[in-house]
């Protein structure tokens, strides 16, 4: 009842005992999960009380009970008041890997699904992105949310257009790759892919980020970007698991995968890549690389996706074929044949 709830609140407010906090959190969680009527003012008081409590919690179980209470409160509040719970994003995120964490994750999921990303500040959005990725919440997003994800990604990757020489110090790899993973998932959905394909900055930034990463690896300026193409080089590594645990492991493959999806059956993006020397870059990325598993196969897919139904790109590729760009084995794997009589190129269809 409301009287019991008021009594519990006052008991907590007037008690500074840490043990009482745990009892209070458990009791409150049990009350709130019932079909109890709760006023708007009580929700505000409880939310502020739990916010203060969150600063003093020292054990996982108490923290989980606090989030249990918060989860129940969010379910009882009006949608326009959900913004007030954004103050708990860091608390949920900090505790979501604890031994008892189910209600932290439920709170994060509820907040992401019910609230709009553009209304959050950029710091809170970047706290939520790993949760969105790990809980596979991308299918919940509308165009407004997708647009802000794209904006955050392009903002992080605009550094590739700096006039000075770029390096990995300019990149925030964990944040960038988390967003990249989310965008790749979105790009696999036909409806959401069309939203991504409209954004030319996303297409250009993805291509130029791939170019920067590839060039830094070729020049040997960044050790963890240098291609590993020989078994002997792989054997010299002290720890193969350490290779896979590197935040940028597989980064080139992911960027190529996104390029494939962004140009898929989209002539404007196909031409954009062709006009920005994308073929030369992609073919140069085709070397087997233990840091980027299956990169050759993704290059094959990207070239086919760029040429599918696009005579202009097929002409660009024909010119590269005549110039001897890439070895004959790669051209064969690409399914490309050049007619010696009329210099027309034939590209095997993508399936």
């Amino acid at each position: 009842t409301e009287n019991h709830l008021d009594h519990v609140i006052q008991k907590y407010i007037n008690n500074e005992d840490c043990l009482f906090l745990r009892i209070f959190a458990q009791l409150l969680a049990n009350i709130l999960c019932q079909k109890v009527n709760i006023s708007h003012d009580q929700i505000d008081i409880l939310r502020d009380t739990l916010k203060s409590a969150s600063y003093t919690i020292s054990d996982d179980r108490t923290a989980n009970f606090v989030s249990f209470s918060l989860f129940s409160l969010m379910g009882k509040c009006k949608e326009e008041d959900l913004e007030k719970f954004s103050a708990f994003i860091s608390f949920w995120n900090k505790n979501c890997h604890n031994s008892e964490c189910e209600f932290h994750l439920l709170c994060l999921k509820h907040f992401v699904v019910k609230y709009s990303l553009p209304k959050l500040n950029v710091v809170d959005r970047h706290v939520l992105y790993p949760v969105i990725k790990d809980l596979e919440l991308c299918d919940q997003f509308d165009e407004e949310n997708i647009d802000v994800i794209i904006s955050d990604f392009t903002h992080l990757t605009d550094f590739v257009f700096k006039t000075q020489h770029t390096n990995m110090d300019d990149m925030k790899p964990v944040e960038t790759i988390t967003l990249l993973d989310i965008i790749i998932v979105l790009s696999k959905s036909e409806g959401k892919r069309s939203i991504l394909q409209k954004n030319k900055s996303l297409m250009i930034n993805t291509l130029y980020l791939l170019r920067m990463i590839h060039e830094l690896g070729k020049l040997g300026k960044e050790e963890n970007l240098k291609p590993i193409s020989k078994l002997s080089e792989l054997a010299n590594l002290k720890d193969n698991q350490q290779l896979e645990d590197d935040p940028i492991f597989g980064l080139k493959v992911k960027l190529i995968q996104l390029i494939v999806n962004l140009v898929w059956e989209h002539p404007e993006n196909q031409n954009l890549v062709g006009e920005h020397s994308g073929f030369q870059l992609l073919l140069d990325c085709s070397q087997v690389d233990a840091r980027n598993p299956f990169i050759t196969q993704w290059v094959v897919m990207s070239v086919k996706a760029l040429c599918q139904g696009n005579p202009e790109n097929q002409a660009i590729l024909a010119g590269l074929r005549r110039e001897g760009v890439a070895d004959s084995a790669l051209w064969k794997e690409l399914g490309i044949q050049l007619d010696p009589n009329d210099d027309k190129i034939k590209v095997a269809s993508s399936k």
Side-chain angles (χ1 to χ4, degrees):
T1 68
E2 290 188 30
N3 287 336
H4 286 143
L5 196 55
D6 283 331
H7 179 70
V8 171
I9 293 170
Q10 291 304 317
K11 279 287 187 180
Y12 172 72
I13 291 174
N14 296 322
N15 197 309
E16 298 180 354
D17 192 321
C18 292
L19 178 60
F20 185 81
L21 171 57
R22 181 169 179 173
I23 298 171
F24 164 77
Q26 186 171 359
L27 177 59
L28 182 59
N30 290 336
I31 293 174
L32 290 175
C33 71
Q34 306 299 319
K35 292 182 179 179
V36 59
N37 292 323
I38 179 169
S39 69
H40 179 80
D41 288 340
Q42 284 179 319
I43 290 176
D44 285 343
I45 293 171
L46 279 171
R47 187 186 58 251
D48 292 342
T49 302
L50 291 170
K51 183 178 179 182
S52 298
S54 68
Y55 298 131
T56 61
I57 294 171
S58 58
D59 70 283
D60 295 351
R61 181 167 294 181
T62 304
N64 203 36
F65 279 128
V66 167
S67 285
F68 186 176
S69 300
L70 291 168
F71 181 69
S72 298
L73 284 176
M74 284 193 290
K76 295 176 184 295
C77 77
K78 297 177 182 179
E79 192 167 328
E80 57 265 28
D81 292 331
L82 197 58
E83 179 183 4
K84 298 174 182 177
F85 287 84
S86 64
F88 294 95
I89 289 176
S90 294
F91 170 73
W92 293 326
N93 185 65
K94 180 181 71 174
N95 290 286
C96 68
H97 299 292
N98 292 346
S99 57
E100 297 190 30
C101 64
E102 60 270 25
F103 283 104
H104 306 305
L105 293 172
L106 281 172
C107 286
L108 285 166
K109 182 176 181 179
H110 182 89
F111 191 84
V112 168
V113 172
K114 297 293 184 181
Y115 198 62
S116 178
L117 288 177
K119 295 179 181 178
L120 290 171
N121 63 58
V122 67
V123 174
D124 283 340
R125 288 202 301 271
H126 279 289
V127 171
L128 287 177
Y129 285 140
V131 179
I132 292 168
K133 172 189 168 184
D134 293 341
L135 296 184
E136 300 179 349
L137 301 177
C138 297
D139 60 337
Q140 309 282 343
F141 291 147
D142 57 14
E143 185 166 356
E144 184 183 30
N145 283 294
I146 293 172
D147 282 341
V148 79
I149 291 171
I150 296 171
S151 176
D152 285 342
F153 177 77
T154 54
H155 178 75
L156 280 175
T157 54
D158 276 343
F159 75 90
V160 299
F161 302 108
K162 284 172 37 175
T163 54
Q164 298 90 354
H165 294 295
T166 54
N167 56 59
M168 290 303 294
D169 292 335
D170 299 311
M171 180 180 172
K172 296 180 178 178
V174 175
E175 293 92 334
T176 301
I177 294 169
T178 297
L179 278 169
L180 178 61
D181 287 336
I182 292 171
I183 292 171
I184 288 173
V185 172
L186 290 169
S187 71
K188 293 176 182 178
S189 164
E190 185 174 350
K192 293 177 172 58
R193 180 168 63 244
S194 62
I195 298 171
L196 300 173
Q197 288 176 322
K198 290 188 297 185
N199 194 299
K200 302 311 167 194
S201 293
L202 175 61
M203 182 75 261
I204 293 294
N205 281 37
T206 302
L207 184 65
Y208 276 83
L209 180 58
L210 175 62
R211 176 169 284 125
M212 186 208 78
I213 296 295
H214 182 60
E215 289 179 353
L216 287 175
K218 284 180 65 178
L219 295 172
K221 291 185 176 181
E222 301 286 344
E223 187 65 30
N224 58 351
L225 292 177
K226 289 171 63 176
I228 301 175
S229 56
K230 297 178 181 179
L231 287 176
S232 58
E233 294 174 329
L234 187 60
N236 289 335
L237 288 176
K238 293 181 179 179
D239 187 352
N240 289 347
Q241 187 62 45
Q242 186 177 357
L243 177 68
E244 296 183 13
D245 289 342
D246 191 316
I248 62 172
F249 177 78
L251 177 55
K252 285 167 65 173
V253 166
K254 291 178 180 180
L255 290 167
I256 295 171
Q257 185 179 357
L258 180 55
I259 289 171
V260 170
N261 294 342
L262 292 178
V263 305
W264 191 262
E265 298 181 346
H266 197 281
E268 192 174 349
N269 282 348
Q270 288 175 331
N271 292 336
L272 201 59
V273 174
E275 292 164 3
H276 286 261
S277 304
F279 279 107
Q280 294 90 325
L281 170 62
L282 289 163
L283 292 171
D284 203 36
C285 289
S286 62
Q287 177 186 10
V288 172
D289 180 9
R291 297 188 194 276
N292 290 279
F294 304 107
I295 192 167
T296 304
Q297 289 82 352
W298 275 107
V299 168
V300 170
M301 179 63 74
S302 69
V303 172
K304 291 182 178 181
L306 285 164
C307 290
Q308 196 71 38
N310 193 307
E312 293 86 354
N313 277 353
Q314 290 182 21
I316 292 174
L317 197 59
L320 295 175
R321 177 70 177 87
R322 286 191 297 272
E323 292 169 11
V325 175
D327 57 42
S328 58
L330 178 61
W331 291 109
K332 185 176 180 180
E333 188 168 356
L334 286 166
I336 293 173
Q337 296 179 346
L338 187 65
D339 191 324
N341 297 320
D342 56 11
D343 275 355
K344 289 185 178 180
I345 198 163
K346 295 179 180 179
V347 183
S349 298
S350 302
K351 295 183 180 180

